[in-house]
Amino acid sequence: MNDFHHRLEREVPRLRRYARALTRNAVRADDLVQETLVRALHKEHLWQRGTDLRAWLFTIMHNQNVNEIRRAIRDDATVDLENCSAILIARTDPTASRQLRELDHALAQLPEEQRQVILLVGLEGVSYEDAAAILDVPIGTIRSRLSRGRESLRKLMEMDVNPTSSAA
């Protein structure tokens, strides 16, 4: 195996985590990861050494996901974005388990564009610049989607967004 293949292999756990959070379906996520890896191997010659491999792979994954959603719409099939997976549930702390289920449910209610940005920046730690490149949108769009998404999550999870109101 060459250096590219080793680096690609190291990114698989991140790809799987993002795909599962993005698709909310373990089987579909595994298919998306496999499609991404096949495409990356086929397009290896297009990757520029010295650039961020993770961002390149996430871009491929994003495009594969968009293509799959478009194909499903075109074929008049439904995409089950509400299918909850148990991958985010903590088994030891019932409070943490409940909170993760609530977060999972709240994320499912966000528009796809906001959920993608929150998952890339919040879950994967991708920079705003890389998220903009991955999603092929301006950085200002990333900032606004992230802001609106975070605000929506606070409301959906019934978090007090104005802590000064509790001091009375």
Side-chain angles (χ1 to χ4, degrees), residues 67-95:
N67 290 341
E68 179 60 33
I69 291 171
R70 286 179 181 156
R71 187 174 16 254
I73 291 170
R74 185 182 64 240
D75 294 343
D76 199 28
T78 58
V79 177
D80 185 10
L81 295 177
E82 296 299 319
N83 186 9
C84 296
S85 65
I87 60 166
L88 296 176
I89 297 174
R91 302 277 183 217
T92 56
D93 181 357
T95 303

Side-chain angles (χ1 to χ4, degrees), residues 1-12 41 44 49:
M1 276 190 350
N2 65 27
D3 181 53
F4 177 81
H5 294 147
H6 285 292
R7 294 180 71 181
L8 188 68
E9 187 176 358
R10 285 194 303 263
E11 295 300 328
V12 170
L41 289 169
E44 177 181 353
R49 193 176 249 339

Side-chain angles (χ1 to χ4, degrees), residues 18-19 22-23 28 31-33 35-36 39 57-75 77 79 81 112-117 120 131 133-137 145:
Y18 179 59
L22 182 64
T23 64
R28 188 162 169 261
D31 289 346
L32 183 58
V33 170
E35 292 166 8
T36 300
R39 187 146 182 91
L57 291 169
F58 278 22
T59 301
I60 291 171
M61 180 175 283
H62 168 75
N63 292 337
Q64 291 291 114
N65 186 51
V66 168
N67 290 341
E68 179 60 33
I69 291 171
R70 286 179 181 156
R71 187 174 16 254
I73 291 170
R74 185 182 64 240
D75 294 343
V79 177
L81 295 177
E112 174 101 11
E113 296 82 15
Q114 291 176 13
R115 186 171 60 245
Q116 288 172 336
V117 173
L120 283 172
I134 290 166
L135 299 175
D136 195 26
V137 296
R145 286 179 183 176

